[in-house]
Amino acid sequence: MMRTHGQAFACTWLLVSSSCGHTASAVPPPAAEADGFAVDDNVLIKMHDGGILSATVARPRDDKPLPTLFTLDIYTDPARHREAGRRIAARGYVSVIADTRGKRLSPDPIEPYEHEVDDAYDVIEWIVHQPWSNGKVGMLGGSYSGFTAWAATKHLHPALKTIAVSAAAIPGLGLPMYNNVFLSANYQWAFYVSDNKVLDNATNDDAARWRNLEFNWFATGRPYQEIDQVDGTPNRLLHRWLAHPVYDAYWQRMVPYGHDFAQIGIPVLTITGYYDDAQISALHYLREHVAHRPDAEHYLVIGPYDHFGTHADKKPAELRGYRIDPVAQFSTPELKLQWMDYVLKGTPKPAELVSKVNYEVMGANVWRHVSSLKAMSPHPRALYFTSERVGERYRLAANRPQIEGSVSQLIDFANRRIMHGFHTYPNPIEQKNLELVTEVLFATEPFERPTVVSGAFSGALDVTINKKDVDLTVTVYEEEPDGTLYHLGYALERASFAHDATRRVLLQPGRPTLVPFETTFVARQCEAGSRLLVLLDVNMNPVAQVNYGTGRDVSSESVSDANTPLQIEYHNDSNIVVPIGQ
């Protein structure tokens, strides 16, 4: 079964894990000293609005003023925080790992995402007033704490000199909704981080409960806003998020937005993966930073990693059936610390960072280095979704068809025995054949020679539907001559938000509409004789909201809105741009 976008956000712990803060109670005497380091995990930091955060501070005993590496995280784990703090102190830094508001020793309510911009600033302000601080701060993070590092740049404190993040999330963009589509993957996350002052592992790890919930909700056809009633436990955070289906001011105030990026003059290191659920967020930060500040010193490392592998000290040898190239191995924690040494101590730049964009080419076992995301694919090639049938597939052609045509699809939202969008999520990455195919399949001619695709597949679907909205999926595979398939990328697009996540524009039934799309990024050397296989479908399965197309808030729609099947026409001026690399 297709596994959830964003599922990995549920429990990521990186090199460091922490929370937030501002003004100033003095650091109490160390609670423990070991291995030559003073470690205190009972630090309380008062925010400017009266909130209180707890933190773990680790430092060399000599009290010499040092730069501070700060992490602000919701994944409270005191033992790991102490261990991580010692590792950082051993590198000649003070480590401050703060728990987000409401966690561990904080008396405040737990409200994920909502306080991190201000609290990160406040903790940095507190840090620079400590006797062990030399006034320079770098932020480390991954997943949630990657988000908090970026949150800290929205109102940039003068002491924050750099951030180094892996799989950094953007609330409202990559989770709990992906391109305005709410995902079931993050349903249990709300309980995991808010049931107690640390983490509710027992609830989060009850895989059978969450799998059954998704399928039971889907089978009932109830509105998505009633999914917690199917579960039987109220989910207050989910309802807070569902109240904001548009990327509105609620989400925008959590991270830099628009011109905020122009003020971020500090060096940034971003690490993500081709199969990282947070890739959409990580690359959005990069693009916006460079777009609003062309001189940004922002480096990217990207390779064949999932969400957890993106953070890992050692990458797995195999990922979802695909054997990772040996050259793709590197230590994320070590690279981040080398980056901090480079910015905060003036050491040479890490050897991996040859250029601004550093990416591993799957199948070629090589790293390549270019100046920008666009430079990954210097020879883009547009192909058209024709209505020319070749067996059970349709032809992807290099030339736009001269005669208008289309390919039709009919989706019965009332039929819960069939799930659409089944193959969208990249699990497995490598496989022999497709089962339970509901998609419309398009294929290219075979490659005449080995060909690198590097970047995102993009384009526009010219569609006519009989409803006011639809959630579309685009999935791209390499199909080798022996039939082996490699998942290269996917897109999930709500048509009414495809042009602007901040404003919903409903479709007019019966009128053609262009829906732009962009898949996830990948870099792979395709074999001679391989062809590209592109799957078009509508998203209708247990892992996300079902968009019935009424034009109402999708969370309020139900199977009672499924009386009329969705009719969709993919017109043959629809196109996909293949990111041909070098």
Side-chain angles (χ1 to χ4, degrees):
M1 174 57 199
M2 166 180 163
R3 200 45 227 153
T4 56
H5 312 272
Q7 73 179 63
F9 289 115
C11 53
T12 299
W13 176 79
L14 184 69
L15 169 67
V16 192
S17 185
S18 198
S19 182
C20 56
H22 184 101
T23 49
S25 58
V27 176
E33 294 190 6
D35 305 326
F37 308 116
V39 182
D40 188 351
D41 56 8
N42 293 308
V43 177
L44 297 178
I45 307 171
K46 189 175 181 181
M47 306 292 99
H48 72 277
D49 64 357
I52 294 175
L53 304 186
S54 58
T56 299
V57 177
R59 55 191 174 84
R61 285 195 216 176
D62 58 15
D63 291 330
K64 176 183 176 181
L66 295 170
T68 300
L69 301 189
F70 164 41
T71 300
L72 176 61
D73 206 353
I74 202 166
Y75 298 117
T76 297
D77 188 325
R80 286 186 171 181
H81 290 181
R82 289 191 295 270
E83 177 188 352
R86 290 190 181 101
R87 288 181 63 186
I88 290 171
R91 293 287 289 243
Y93 295 96
V94 176
S95 168
V96 175
I97 302 174
D99 310 292
T100 51
R101 188 178 292 220
K103 301 290 286 188
R104 200 159 66 90
L105 305 179
S106 171
D108 303 301
I110 299 170
E111 297 170 324
Y113 312 128
E114 297 184 10
H115 302 280
E116 279 70 356
V117 167
D118 293 332
D119 288 354
Y121 190 99
D122 287 354
V123 173
I124 296 170
E125 179 68 12
W126 173 84
I127 287 170
V128 299
H129 285 90
Q130 304 310 304
W132 36 256
S133 169
N134 73 352
K136 295 181 179 180
V137 178
M139 287 190 73
L140 294 169
S143 193
Y144 192 96
S145 58
F147 143 67
T148 64
W150 274 108
T153 68
K154 190 174 181 72
H155 304 307
L156 193 66
H157 193 289
L160 182 58
K161 304 302 182 183
T162 185
I163 64 174
V165 295
S166 52
I170 297 180
L173 180 63
L175 82 166
M177 60 181 181
Y178 190 101
N179 287 339
N180 301 91
V181 179
F182 279 95
L183 306 172
S184 303
N186 297 108
Y187 181 86
Q188 75 268 25
W189 186 86
F191 302 111
Y192 178 48
V193 299
S194 69
D195 276 357
N196 57 48
K197 291 293 185 178
V198 283
L199 296 169
D200 187 351
N201 290 297
T203 295
N204 184 67
D205 295 343
D206 190 351
R209 173 183 173 183
W210 307 124
R211 182 177 60 253
N212 291 337
L213 171 61
E214 292 178 2
F215 281 89
N216 290 340
W217 162 76
F218 184 73
T220 67
R222 293 177 68 168
Y224 197 78
Q225 64 191 14
E226 296 179 6
I227 190 172
D228 60 344
Q229 296 179 36
V230 178
D231 178 44
T233 305
N235 191 329
R236 67 175 181 87
L237 291 176
L238 174 70
H239 288 284
R240 186 178 301 202
W241 302 328
L242 289 177
H244 300 277
V246 175
Y247 193 73
D248 58 14
Y250 173 78
W251 304 110
Q252 292 170 18
R253 67 172 176 259
M254 297 175 180
V255 293
Y257 179 74
H259 292 295
D260 293 338
F261 283 95
Q263 309 306 314
I264 304 174
I266 61 173
V268 176
L269 172 62
T270 288
I271 304 169
T272 185
Y274 303 139
Y275 303 102
D276 171 20
D277 298 318
Q279 188 204 106
I280 184 176
S281 301
L283 296 186
H284 183 83
Y285 284 124
L286 170 60
R287 286 167 153 169
E288 288 294 289
H289 191 195
V290 172
H292 289 89
R293 189 167 185 127
D295 65 343
E297 186 181 359
H298 193 146
Y299 286 83
L300 171 70
V301 177
I302 184 170
Y305 320 117
D306 67 358
H307 193 67
F308 294 102
T310 296
H311 308 308
D313 185 40
K314 181 175 175 57
K315 316 307 181 192
E318 184 173 309
L319 177 64
R320 304 177 195 166
Y322 171 72
R323 289 200 62 79
I324 292 175
D325 294 337
V327 76
Q329 284 290 341
F330 75 94
S331 168
T332 292
E334 177 60 24
L335 179 58
K336 289 181 178 180
L337 289 175
Q338 290 178 9
W339 173 264
M340 291 296 166
D341 291 344
Y342 161 65
V343 177
L344 299 177
K345 296 182 178 180
T347 65
K349 187 173 60 180
E352 291 88 345
L353 306 181
V354 176
S355 193
K356 292 293 181 66
V357 174
N358 307 275
Y359 62 100
E360 201 271 331
V361 182
M362 297 166 60
N365 195 34
V366 296
W367 284 91
R368 292 198 173 148
H369 314 277
V370 294
S371 60
S372 66
L373 290 175
K374 185 177 181 180
M376 288 177 67
S377 47
H379 309 294
R381 184 183 304 167
L383 301 174
Y384 291 89
F385 293 92
T386 75
S387 54
E388 180 183 341
R389 192 148 197 155
V390 182
E392 296 182 351
R393 303 171 176 183
Y394 295 89
R395 185 166 171 258
L396 273 169
N399 297 315
R400 181 172 176 167
Q402 297 299 306
I403 300 174
E404 292 183 4
S406 64
V407 176
S408 302
Q409 192 178 23
L410 187 70
I411 290 92
D412 182 3
F413 289 118
N415 183 355
R416 295 314 169 95
R417 296 186 303 275
I418 296 177
M419 291 178 286
H420 287 264
F422 185 85
H423 300 100
T424 306
Y425 191 74
N427 190 8
I429 295 169
E430 179 181 344
Q431 63 188 51
K432 269 299 180 186
N433 48 49
L434 298 176
E435 298 178 353
L436 306 176
V437 175
T438 61
E439 298 90 347
V440 183
L441 276 58
F442 296 81
T444 67
E445 296 298 320
F447 291 115
E448 295 181 356
R449 60 185 64 85
T451 301
V452 172
V453 292
S454 51
F457 296 84
S458 60
L461 299 179
D462 185 1
V463 299
T464 299
I465 64 174
N466 61 335
K467 295 179 181 290
K468 296 180 180 179
D469 203 2
V470 63
D471 293 347
L472 296 169
T473 66
V474 181
T475 309
V476 184
Y477 288 92
E478 174 195 358
E479 183 181 57
E480 293 188 333
D482 67 356
T484 302
L485 296 167
Y486 293 90
H487 194 295
L488 298 181
Y490 70 91
L492 171 62
E493 302 282 355
R494 178 157 292 167
S496 59
F497 285 109
H499 293 275
D500 186 350
T502 69
R503 187 170 67 96
R504 191 180 191 193
V505 178
L506 296 175
L507 282 64
Q508 295 187 33
R511 174 174 290 187
T513 303
L514 276 180
V515 180
F517 68 87
E518 181 178 279
T519 70
T520 48
F521 271 62
V522 73
R524 176 168 172 79
Q525 180 171 283
C526 299
E527 288 188 6
S530 288
R531 63 180 80 228
L532 296 179
L533 184 63
V534 182
L535 286 59
L536 302 185
D537 206 352
V538 169
N539 198 65
M540 189 192 80
N541 53 67
V543 305
Q545 296 172 308
V546 176
N547 185 349
Y548 293 87
T550 68
R552 303 197 313 271
D553 182 353
V554 174
S555 292
S556 71
E557 295 178 319
S558 74
V559 73
S560 64
D561 297 302
N563 294 327
T564 302
L566 171 71
Q567 295 177 334
I568 182 167
E569 299 284 333
Y570 301 101
H571 301 294
N572 63 0
D573 59 342
S574 300
N575 69 86
I576 184 169
V577 178
V578 180
I580 303 296
Q582 298 185 5

